[in-house]
């Protein structure tokens, strides 16, 4: 899910939505200060969506609003995901080999333009609520699509929003136009951070076993496609979309017009991030007013990504980031749970999907009525 290289001349990288720090071999030799600034910035940008996305995942798991409802990943979904990801990656590889790269990237730009605006708007919404004064006129709106009529009427879309959300949408649209016209790395990062934060917030693993299955499967996927073939690297160099974070290594020399990028794919943020968010919700379920497992896994992520960058920089060769992130993010919390005698409790922790939770509430209310 991630290949790590240095000195990318252009900010174009992908790999089924998840490559690690990317680039191409070195026409430009960056200064030690520029390299340290680039990789330090990528590490910081990776931590922000994981930390805040995990915190927001606790609240959205209790939300009644359809727009904030999380998508629950089951063990069956987790087992199939590496296969689906491999088919998608190889399909993109064939597309870029057969069809014109220019037209494919044009379609992808339009697709991610819409998704990016929605993701950035959703990310900004809680901050806007704090910025705007309490006396600001804030009207409520509802977008409702139904199918059928009468008793057979079925809701297709039920989205509630307000004036502040519309302002967020307007600001996000400006960023979207900026990205489409200029492909500037700052606009790319704004969309990338929004995608990553929304992924960590809204994608929920139903239990720790499912997380182990998902991360284990993608561990094998990552190692195979990076070390075993050139497919991921080829797609990474051809794919133009905000599915990675980038930071220029020549920023000190060229300023905001710098074009020699270090890159970090969103998959190496979101995949470990949803597991870290699950451990935060497990901490909350223990009702001990501590966040031991969350902070342990968070520090493990820092260690794993730092080790990835170190190995890449030492051996000057592409590295699959999940090769280092998965053992760290899974191993550290499991060892801690074993040490504290809570391993069984950790693996028994189960989250219900929103549909299951609401049905349980209905059953409980009907039992009370009886």
């Amino acid at each position: 899910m991630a290949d790590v290289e240095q000195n990318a001349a252009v900010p174009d990288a992908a790999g089924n939505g998840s490559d690690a720090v990317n680039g191409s071999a070195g026409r430009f030799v960056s200064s030690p200060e520029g390299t340290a600034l680039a990789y330090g910035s990528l590490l910081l940008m990776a931590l922000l969506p994981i930390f805040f996305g995990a915190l927001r995942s606790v609240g959205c798991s209790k939300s009644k609003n359809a727009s904030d409802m999380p998508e629950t990943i089951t063990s069956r979904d987790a087992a199939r995901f590496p296969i689906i990801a491999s088919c998608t990656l190889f399909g993109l590889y064939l597309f870029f080999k057969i069809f014109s790269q220019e037209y494919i990237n044009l379609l992808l730009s339009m697709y991610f333009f819409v998704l990016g605006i929605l993701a950035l708007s959703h990310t900004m919404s809680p901050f806007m609520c704090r910025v705007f004064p309490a006396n600001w006129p804030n009207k409520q709106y509802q977008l409702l699509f139904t199918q059928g009529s009468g008793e057979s009427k079925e809701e297709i879309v039920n989205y509630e929003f307000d004036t502040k959300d519309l302002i967020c949408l307007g600001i996000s649209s400006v960023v979207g136009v900026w990205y489409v016209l200029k492909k500037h790395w700052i606009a790319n990062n704004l969309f990338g951070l929004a995608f990553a934060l929304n992924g960590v917030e809204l994608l929920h693993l139903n239990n720790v076993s499912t997380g182990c299955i998902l991360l284990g499967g993608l561990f094998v996927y990552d190692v195979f496609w990076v070390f075993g073939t050139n497919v991921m690297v080829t797609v990474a160099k051809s794919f133009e979309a905000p599915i990675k974070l980038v930071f220029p290594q020549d920023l000190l020399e060229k300023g905001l017009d710098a074009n020699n990028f270090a890159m970090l794919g969103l998959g190496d943020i979101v995949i470990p991030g949803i597991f870290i968010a699950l451990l935060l919700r497990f901490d909350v379920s223990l009702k001990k007013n501590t966040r031991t497992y969350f902070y342990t896994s968070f520090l493990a992520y820092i260690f794993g990504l730092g080790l990835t960058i170190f190995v890449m920089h030492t051996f000057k060769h592409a590295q699959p980031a999940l090769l280092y992130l998965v053992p760290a993010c899974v191993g550290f919390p499991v060892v801690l749970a074993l040490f504290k005698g809570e391993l069984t409790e950790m693996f028994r922790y189960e989250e219900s999907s929103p549909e299951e939770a609401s049905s349980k509430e209905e059953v409980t209310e009907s039992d009370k009525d009886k």
Side-chain angles (χ1 to χ4, degrees), residues 53-251:
L55 293 178
R56 288 172 60 160
S57 76
V58 176
C60 88
S61 63
K62 304 170 185 177
S63 176
K64 302 294 184 181
N65 193 340
S67 64
D68 295 327
M69 284 281 189
E71 183 72 27
T72 303
I73 300 173
T74 65
S75 57
R76 185 177 180 182
D77 298 327
R80 292 186 298 187
F81 192 83
I83 300 172
I84 296 172
S86 295
C87 294
T88 304
L89 178 64
F90 191 66
L92 284 171
Y93 174 78
L94 294 178
F95 264 94
F96 281 117
K97 287 292 184 181
I98 297 171
F99 300 105
S100 171
Q101 178 179 324
E102 179 183 354
Y103 295 117
I104 296 174
N105 282 320
L106 179 62
L107 291 174
L108 290 173
S109 294
M110 292 299 103
Y111 176 69
F112 282 100
F113 167 76
V114 176
L115 288 185
I117 289 174
L118 295 176
L120 187 58
S121 178
H122 182 266
T123 301
M124 292 171 56
S125 184
F127 300 103
M128 281 295 177
C129 293
R130 298 178 182 179
V131 170
F132 281 87
N135 59 355
W136 181 272
N138 190 34
K139 296 182 180 180
Q140 301 293 321
Y141 303 93
Q142 183 178 23
L143 184 64
L144 180 63
F145 285 100
T146 61
Q147 180 178 347
S149 60
E151 295 181 356
S152 62
K153 183 183 291 185
E154 180 183 358
E155 287 188 4
I156 306 299
V157 175
N158 186 1
Y159 186 79
E160 297 177 359
F161 57 99
D162 54 28
T163 305
K164 294 174 185 176
D165 293 325
L166 291 176
I167 295 173
C168 292
L169 192 65
I171 296 172
S172 301
S173 299
V174 173
V175 176
V177 172
W178 181 25
Y179 173 76
V180 169
L181 295 180
K182 299 294 185 180
K183 292 292 192 298
H184 198 277
W185 61 273
I186 295 179
N188 175 91
N189 287 348
L190 290 174
F191 274 174
L193 288 168
F195 284 137
L197 192 147
N198 279 276
V200 175
E201 177 188 358
L202 300 174
L203 290 175
H204 286 199
L205 297 163
N206 65 346
N207 55 48
V208 173
S209 297
T210 299
C212 292
I213 294 170
L214 179 65
L215 268 67
L218 291 176
F219 173 90
V220 176
Y221 160 93
D222 209 12
V223 173
F224 172 76
W225 288 111
V226 174
F227 286 150
T229 73
N230 70 336
V231 171
M232 185 176 284
V233 175
T234 301
V235 173
K237 293 177 179 178
S238 306
F239 201 98
E240 294 182 16
I243 59 167
K244 75 279 182 185
L245 302 179
V246 300
F247 199 90
Q249 299 181 70
D250 53 347
L251 180 68

